[in-house]
Amino acid sequence: MANREAPIGIFDSGVGGTSIWQEIHQLLPHEDTLYLADSKYAPYGNRPKEEIVSLSKKNTEYLLENGCKIIVVACNTATTNAIAQLRSEYDVPFIGIEPAIKPAALKTKTRSIGILATKGTLGSELFHKTAESVTYGIQLTEVVGEGLVPLIENGNLGDPQLRKLLQRYLQPMLEAQIDHLVLGCSHYPYLVPLLREMLPEGIKIIDSGEAVARQTQAILQQHNLLNLKKTIPKLRFYTNASVATLQLLLQEYSESILIEKKDF
Ligand code: DGL
């Protein structure tokens, strides 16, 4: 039985979900967290659904063995392909992340929005259902961000290849006169500075990080699992590949976190 002081477990196919971890840590600064970067198997985006499910189960089991009280699936690809199965197999609350197309659809003035996500997310049933129900009368330009995740995993956010790929992916969205760009992959918030340079000012960039953090807080509260102690939290990051990119992306937290290589 989980207790209030147990850690929040978070996993992603790699380093991208740390963008979600930052939102969770900001909102719940006293919670212990255990983050798994499954970088050895990244990207998930081009894998078949069964493989995404089995990798998600592996990560969930590792987090549960380490005593986590809730699991945040900080990966759109894993959420849209595997969360139903995870919820049916494990007796622990799960929080998922899905592309924020609903808020974009509610706010668009040009009635045209764009989404950049992985093939796995855009091809999933869950995404199609959501898209159909919220984008009635709105043009939705879907683009697969092929090749972006491996470049982010390498940690070189200044790689000219990133700009080149984004130029190609943004083109159909600009032609469709979108006024909202939805980032449907937890790796992509790390591209926001570059995207801001490349996009006209009027286009809003939306991701789901803050909403996921708020949902995590609400579900912990609902299950009486919020940590009420105001002590210094234990913030662990495990990767099954190199620690270098995690170190780079989380450098502002380097004094307070622990990054380790593990087998999982
Ligand atoms: N960070 C992921 C997501 O949110 C997965 C990217 C990938 O592994 O393809 O979709």
Side-chain angles (χ1 to χ4, degrees):
M1 187 63 201
N3 65 63
R4 287 180 179 274
E5 277 111 68
I8 296 174
I10 305 168
F11 78 82
D12 178 37
S13 61
V15 300
T18 54
S19 65
I20 311 298
W21 172 84
Q22 294 193 41
E23 300 282 355
I24 293 174
H25 179 58
Q26 196 177 326
L27 188 66
L28 300 166
H30 299 290
E31 295 284 347
D32 287 358
T33 58
L34 174 55
Y35 180 97
L36 293 190
D38 198 16
S39 296
K40 188 170 158 189
Y41 299 99
Y44 282 8
N46 290 336
R47 293 180 186 275
K49 181 181 167 83
E50 310 78 69
E51 255 183 65
I52 299 170
V53 170
S54 106
L55 290 166
S56 301
K57 284 167 69 171
K58 163 186 78 72
N59 298 332
T60 298
E61 282 165 23
Y62 192 85
L63 290 169
L64 292 177
E65 279 159 24
N66 281 274
C68 292
K69 61 184 174 185
I70 188 169
I71 310 283
V72 180
V73 182
C75 174
N76 294 259
T77 313
T79 300
T80 49
N81 285 277
I83 203 158
Q85 185 118 7
L86 296 177
R87 286 192 169 123
S88 76
E89 287 191 32
Y90 303 96
D91 189 20
V92 64
F94 283 92
I95 307 293
I97 176 170
E98 281 184 68
I101 43 177
K102 189 171 176 184
L106 288 172
K107 287 188 196 133
T108 177
K109 295 222 162 52
T110 58
R111 315 229 24 100
S112 176
I113 64 176
I115 171 162
L116 191 61
T118 69
K119 186 173 155 207
T121 294
L122 296 178
S124 70
E125 226 181 284
L126 188 58
F127 173 76
H128 277 285
K129 259 201 211 144
T130 316
E132 253 171 48
S133 67
V134 301
T135 58
Y136 183 74
I138 287 167
Q139 185 179 359
L140 176 65
T141 306
E142 300 173 23
V143 179
V144 173
E146 191 63 50
L148 296 175
V149 167
L151 289 167
I152 298 167
E153 284 290 315
N154 286 342
N156 182 3
L157 298 176
D159 191 325
Q161 188 62 16
L162 277 172
R163 183 183 284 269
K164 234 169 136 184
L165 289 176
L166 285 176
Q167 238 148 17
R168 174 147 40 103
Y169 301 153
L170 296 176
Q171 192 54 36
M173 303 201 193
L174 294 172
E175 278 165 18
Q177 299 193 322
I178 62 157
D179 61 357
H180 285 76
L181 168 61
V182 177
L183 301 182
C185 169
S186 57
H187 281 68
Y188 300 167
Y190 287 111
L191 300 176
V192 168
L194 182 56
L195 284 166
R196 273 278 56 105
E197 262 179 46
M198 298 174 70
L199 285 171
E201 244 175 53
I203 299 182
K204 288 219 162 60
I205 302 173
I206 306 196
D207 69 61
S208 322
E210 213 187 306
V212 171
R214 272 190 270 108
Q215 179 70 355
T216 306
Q217 183 184 42
I219 298 297
L220 284 175
Q221 198 149 24
Q222 197 181 308
H223 287 78
N224 293 319
L225 283 173
L226 274 176
N227 189 348
L228 305 173
K229 290 200 176 151
K230 301 278 180 258
T231 45
I232 295 172
K234 218 164 131 189
L235 308 170
R236 288 173 293 162
F237 294 80
Y238 293 169
T239 173
N240 49 17
S242 148
V243 295
T245 305
L246 281 177
Q247 278 168 345
L248 186 86
L249 297 179
L250 296 167
Q251 53 190 321
E252 65 180 289
Y253 304 94
S254 62
E255 304 280 287
S256 47
I257 65 174
L258 179 79
I259 302 178
E260 276 186 88
K261 183 160 183 204
K262 297 268 182 187
D263 259 337
F264 56 86

